[in-house]
Amino acid sequence: MNACQPPLSIATLICMRAGSPLDLALKAIRSTAASLTHSDIILLRVDGGLPTDLELFQQAAAPVPLRLLGSQHHQGLAACLNELIEEVLSDERWQLIARMDADDESLPGRMKMQRMFLAEHPQIDILGTACIEVNEHGQHLQTKRMPLNHEAIIRRLPRSNPLNHPSVMVRRRVFASGLRYRTDASRTEDYHLWIDAASKGFKFANLSEPLLNFRRDGRFFNRRGGLRQAIADSNVRLRAIRVLGRTNPVELFWVFAAFTMRLLPGRLQKLAYSCLR
């Protein structure tokens, strides 16, 4: 990045459900703000309730400004993110849009490293990172690494989600093109977004460094199992195959394998997940 150019400003989007643990949300905000600057902003959306802890949130974000929004009605992650995206697009200052979950933790330097990479690689539109999966006690479970370059990410897309969603940073132009999260695709809204972005020619990358602690509690696999989730996962993979023109027996086998895994009991899903990583 040219030293004479001002850094690209970042708007970080965080959504949390009303009643979620306040200590985790404050930790998420504090860890994220640590590598932001006063020219950036954190947008926090509380889903299903009007926030009453504004001062605590602002203290956690300081010196980064924090804007807090809320709603009495539960809308879901995709709708909340789309609302925050509209907020960002209304202000020309924010050129980068980062994601963060309210129960995860950004690792030191995360935002700085992603900002620097995007400044040095203007052709990249969507940037993720590796992450460290931890349990509810903060203990290390495994490091989740993703393919690094655009070509490898596109090859992976029909088989599995190639980006750790809470780690991504996206250029403004991606959403300015009209792309949004699908509100009819619970737990696969980000996967659908990557397919839409790939179909429009946007470029992807992942950093090899793990820059996020991703919290995986004891019910993680139970929430992602069952027939309904298996069907949703199959639909998004089949859509990727169709959109990318990758229809072949190997890709269809992966769809079947993923469908079968989602029907397994949680403990067997966990075993299969660990083996496939």
Side-chain angles (χ1 to χ4, degrees):
M1 180 173 60
N2 189 320
C4 296
Q5 293 178 338
L8 299 168
S9 292
I10 300 170
T12 301
L13 312 185
I14 304 179
C15 297
M16 64 178 290
R17 293 193 64 164
S20 296
L22 181 60
D23 59 329
L24 292 179
L26 294 176
K27 184 177 183 179
I29 292 168
R30 194 175 297 113
S31 65
T32 299
S35 58
L36 292 171
T37 72
H38 62 83
S39 64
D40 302 317
I41 192 170
I42 294 175
L43 298 176
L44 174 64
R45 176 67 159 76
V46 180
D47 189 24
L50 296 175
T52 58
D53 303 296
L54 178 58
E55 187 175 347
L56 287 177
F57 290 128
Q58 289 177 331
Q59 288 173 356
V64 181
L66 179 141
R67 190 178 303 166
L68 196 149
L69 302 88
S71 170
Q72 291 283 19
H73 305 289
H74 174 64
Q75 294 179 296
L77 178 61
C80 289
L81 287 174
N82 287 339
E83 181 181 315
L84 293 179
I85 288 166
E86 296 300 332
E87 188 85 6
V88 173
L89 293 180
S90 69
D91 192 325
E92 289 288 343
R93 285 178 296 173
W94 321 121
Q95 292 302 310
L96 301 177
I97 301 172
R99 271 284 293 122
M100 180 65 186
D101 278 346
D103 58 352
D104 294 336
E105 179 183 13
S106 289
L107 294 177
R110 174 200 161 183
M111 296 296 177
K112 180 180 179 180
M113 292 178 66
Q114 288 185 275
R115 188 199 322 256
M116 184 178 301
F117 182 94
L118 288 171
E120 294 173 351
H121 299 83
Q123 77 280 13
I124 299 300
D125 301 292
I126 301 170
L127 176 66
T129 81
C131 73
I132 297 172
E133 295 186 340
V134 300
N135 63 17
E136 55 264 53
H137 307 295
Q139 298 168 327
H140 178 277
L141 297 174
Q142 65 179 355
T143 300
K144 187 177 180 183
R145 300 188 184 278
M146 294 298 192
L148 300 181
N149 60 53
H150 176 76
E151 291 73 19
I153 290 169
I154 295 300
R155 284 197 300 272
R156 171 77 72 86
L157 199 55
R159 299 187 180 188
S160 64
N161 193 332
L163 295 158
N164 291 313
H165 186 210
S167 78
V168 298
M169 188 174 286
V170 182
R171 290 192 192 273
R172 178 190 185 91
R173 64 193 180 210
V174 173
F175 294 114
S177 75
L179 291 182
R180 295 292 184 274
Y181 289 93
R182 285 180 53 164
T183 56
D184 62 343
S186 177
R187 295 203 179 99
T188 57
E189 54 272 291
D190 56 316
Y191 202 161
H192 279 286
L193 181 62
W194 314 145
I195 296 169
D196 291 336
S199 72
K200 283 182 172 280
F202 290 112
K203 301 298 183 183
F204 298 82
N206 277 307
L207 297 180
S208 60
E209 295 88 351
L211 297 178
L212 180 87
N213 278 344
F214 176 82
R215 188 170 173 271
R216 204 180 83 190
D217 63 26
R219 299 192 66 255
F220 177 84
F221 292 102
N222 290 330
R223 289 195 301 272
R224 283 158 175 75
L227 181 60
R228 183 175 178 180
Q229 192 60 41
I231 292 172
D233 281 359
S234 296
N235 285 340
V236 70
R237 286 175 170 83
L238 288 170
R239 181 167 179 256
I241 288 171
R242 183 176 68 255
V243 169
L244 299 176
R246 295 275 297 278
T247 304
N248 61 65
V250 174
E251 303 296 3
L252 293 174
F253 169 79
W254 277 92
V255 174
F256 174 77
F259 179 86
T260 303
M261 190 178 79
R262 291 299 188 197
L263 297 179
L264 295 173
R267 59 187 179 82
L268 294 180
Q269 278 194 61
K270 181 178 179 180
L271 177 63
Y273 178 84
S274 298
C275 293
L276 289 174
R277 297 298 340 157

